[in-house]
Amino acid sequence: MNTPFLSRPFSSFARRAAGLAVAAGVCLGAVLSSAQAADKLTVFAAASMKDALTAVGDLYKSETGTEVVFSFASSSVVARQITAGAPADIFVSADVKWMDYVSKAEAIEEGTARIIAGNSLVMVAPVDEAKPLALEKDALLQRVGDGHLAIGSPEAVPAGRYAKASLTSLGLWGAVEGKLVHMENVRVTLASVARGEVALGIVYGSDAAIEPRVAVVATFPDDSHAPIVYPAGLVKGAGAEAAGFLEYLSSPAAREVFARLGFKSGE
């Protein structure tokens, strides 16, 4: 059975490609040149990666002719879909936990998972309520008032788990727990704030960067939660072309897209 991927050193692309070549019964040269093939790849990914991965997929198609199709949802949802046998080539998670879950289920090609990006955690409000907020009890409760604070469900959504960890670390969880509404993924949280349905929401910095109807009113300290990272790996049985796109996700072109859209380096 596979061990959690962060306990294994990452192998080189050539080593991963060679393993895929053996599994698929094709030559290594075919794997390494697979980016030239005009086939279609399917990527299951965390909802917070929607804009960035779509942009990277467009770049990849323009350079290689290979179309990349995406399915976005909470990491927990897509992880369970993959372990249930959904036809995906690559899985991109918003945290290590769900990559380990898929790896332990032996649904990820061993040695292929790697961190492709990082993120920050922020508090957002509707843009017309953009006054900075101190991350302390009285200020937070006053801002929420009779409204609610939206977060991803901590039981399943990585952004919600990071939010709970940060609020707990800062001594705020008990004070606001009764004001929380749990959302199915971070983009639903973002949309609820943008529409003014809740007073505040906790999302990733990259989410706030692409939504003009919200404003960042506070940034959570990095040491108040586990590092926010995005691991990506090849799903078992993925076509040889998938190795090329996985490698491309760590390329300078992809890193530029991630940085432009508010992601941090995952290194």
Side-chain angles (χ1 to χ4, degrees):
M1 178 170 290
N2 291 352
T3 54
F5 83 91
L6 285 184
S7 68
R8 301 190 300 266
F10 295 137
S11 59
S12 68
F13 173 57
R15 183 177 175 182
R16 291 193 301 272
L20 284 175
V22 171
V26 297
C27 68
L28 179 59
V31 175
L32 295 177
S33 63
S34 62
Q36 308 301 319
D39 289 321
K40 183 182 291 185
L41 303 176
T42 301
V43 177
F44 279 28
S48 56
M49 271 276 181
K50 181 176 181 179
D51 297 86
L53 284 181
T54 299
V56 172
D58 289 343
L59 281 177
Y60 189 73
K61 182 178 180 180
S62 70
E63 294 182 16
T64 68
T66 299
E67 182 180 3
V68 187
V69 177
F70 297 95
S71 178
F72 295 102
S74 169
S75 296
S76 60
V77 171
V78 292
R80 290 181 174 125
Q81 289 173 341
I82 288 171
T83 58
D89 295 298
I90 291 173
F91 172 45
V92 182
S93 175
D95 70 354
V96 171
K97 175 184 175 180
W98 287 109
M99 181 59 77
D100 280 349
Y101 173 89
V102 176
S103 180
K104 289 175 181 177
E106 300 186 334
I108 292 292
E109 292 285 358
E110 189 170 1
T112 65
R114 86 267 294 278
I115 303 300
I116 62 170
N119 220 326
S120 58
L121 192 70
V122 300
M123 185 84 76
V124 293
V127 70
D128 57 355
E129 300 289 341
K131 182 180 178 181
L133 172 66
L135 290 174
E136 57 90 19
K137 178 181 175 180
D138 291 341
L140 183 54
L141 289 176
Q142 182 177 2
R143 180 69 71 93
V144 174
D146 295 329
H148 293 92
L149 168 60
I151 65 173
S153 173
E155 292 75 26
V157 180
R161 188 158 52 250
Y162 294 127
K164 182 176 181 178
S166 285
L167 291 170
T168 301
S169 175
L170 297 172
L172 300 173
W173 179 259
V176 301
E177 190 172 6
K179 292 289 187 177
L180 298 176
V181 287
H182 294 182
M183 300 299 187
E184 65 184 82
N185 64 57
V186 71
R187 286 302 175 90
V188 175
T189 302
L190 182 70
S192 69
V193 179
R195 292 194 294 261
E197 297 169 350
V198 294
L200 295 167
I202 300 178
V203 299
Y204 298 125
S206 60
D207 296 307
I210 57 91
E211 176 50 78
R213 295 175 295 170
V214 308
V216 174
V217 295
T219 299
F220 289 90
D222 287 341
D223 61 2
S224 68
H225 55 75
I228 301 174
V229 294
Y230 291 80
L234 294 181
V235 177
K236 279 284 183 69
E241 298 85 359
F245 185 64
L246 180 62
E247 188 73 7
Y248 191 78
L249 290 175
S250 297
S251 70
R255 290 178 183 274
E256 189 280 327
V257 171
F258 294 146
R260 174 165 51 83
L261 294 181
F263 288 87
K264 299 165 63 175
S265 171
E267 298 177 348

